Amino acid sequence: MSGSRLRPADPGQQRTLRSAALCYAAHGWPVVPAAFFDGTRYACVQADCVEDGPHPVWRLWQGRASTDPDVVASWYRLFSFAVALPTGVVFDVVEIPEPAAVRVQDALVRHRTPTPIAVWRERGVRLFWVSRGLSADHRLRAVSARIRGEGGWVPAPPTPTRRGPVHWSLAPEQADWGIVAHADLAAALDAVN
Ligand SMILES: [Zn+2]
């Protein structure tokens, strides 16, 4: 891979991104390196890339996502990459705009059905990890939710963006790395709609 356009970040940030990627991989979540926001632009390995936002560094990334610690470590050894996680493999992700997202998160916590939830401030949304195979219904439409399933991906904490890093509002550890079931997500949505 050519890294000529990738500037090294500060070593602390590089280490933090690498250990996050390795942690996801160790929990069975496949990882893909993502474009790194260097304070000015999103740098990736494609010379002609014009994407302005986090995205996987390869166009054909699907076959390259990995949970192998040696493979993942090798990607992050030399370059500052952010972290993308494929959806529709181990989990789907539901993207819910603020402020409805806060109410859905509160309902999940109140119902004791926590799931990993990340804040992507650049887009004004929270990302809710859910079991695979979710399909759109009236509950999801009522909160303008978007499903990221098979063939998709999400930026994972602590991916840097123009508006600060993507961060957990409910970390995977707080959910014991569990993923909420469709029925439990539906119950939380019913509680807020
Ligand atoms: Zn790119």
Side-chain angles (χ1 to χ4, degrees):
M1 126 187 9
S2 155
S4 55
R5 296 173 83 239
L6 291 167
R7 272 175 255 168
D10 75 85
Q13 190 177 27
Q14 195 169 339
R15 260 197 311 277
T16 304
L17 287 162
R18 185 179 58 206
S19 56
L22 284 166
C23 177
Y24 300 138
H27 284 89
W29 295 2
V31 168
V32 183
F36 176 80
F37 183 66
D38 64 8
T40 308
R41 46 186 283 283
Y42 286 89
C44 78
V45 299
Q46 299 163 43
D48 55 348
C49 184
V50 293
E51 283 200 57
D52 188 43
H55 58 281
V57 296
W58 304 301
R59 271 194 195 96
L60 300 172
W61 56 267
Q62 265 107 338
R64 300 177 74 169
S66 183
T67 55
D68 183 320
D70 295 330
V71 171
V72 173
S74 73
W75 291 333
Y76 288 85
R77 191 163 292 132
L78 295 177
F79 301 112
S80 294
F81 288 130
V83 186
L85 301 174
T87 51
V89 180
V90 179
F91 48 77
D92 285 355
V93 167
V94 176
E95 188 180 305
I96 302 179
E98 309 274 19
V102 178
R103 299 199 303 271
V104 177
Q105 177 170 339
D106 288 347
L108 286 168
V109 170
R110 209 166 53 238
H111 295 174
R112 298 176 195 280
T113 52
T115 198
I117 303 169
V119 177
W120 188 359
R121 186 169 296 138
E122 188 179 48
R123 296 281 171 90
V125 298
R126 291 189 187 197
L127 305 171
F128 293 73
W129 268 237
V130 296
S131 306
R132 280 186 307 152
L134 188 68
S135 43
D137 65 7
H138 67 279
R139 297 181 185 88
L140 290 164
R141 280 190 287 271
V143 292
S144 304
R146 176 183 163 194
I147 300 168
R148 292 172 171 256
E150 203 177 337
W153 58 273
V154 286
T159 288
T161 77
R162 286 191 190 282
R163 297 199 59 198
V166 176
H167 66 272
W168 293 115
S169 60
L170 204 152
E173 295 79 16
Q174 292 174 271
D176 288 328
W177 291 87
I179 308 289
V180 76
H182 297 170
D184 291 331
L185 177 67
L189 288 164
D190 280 338
V192 304
N193 281 332

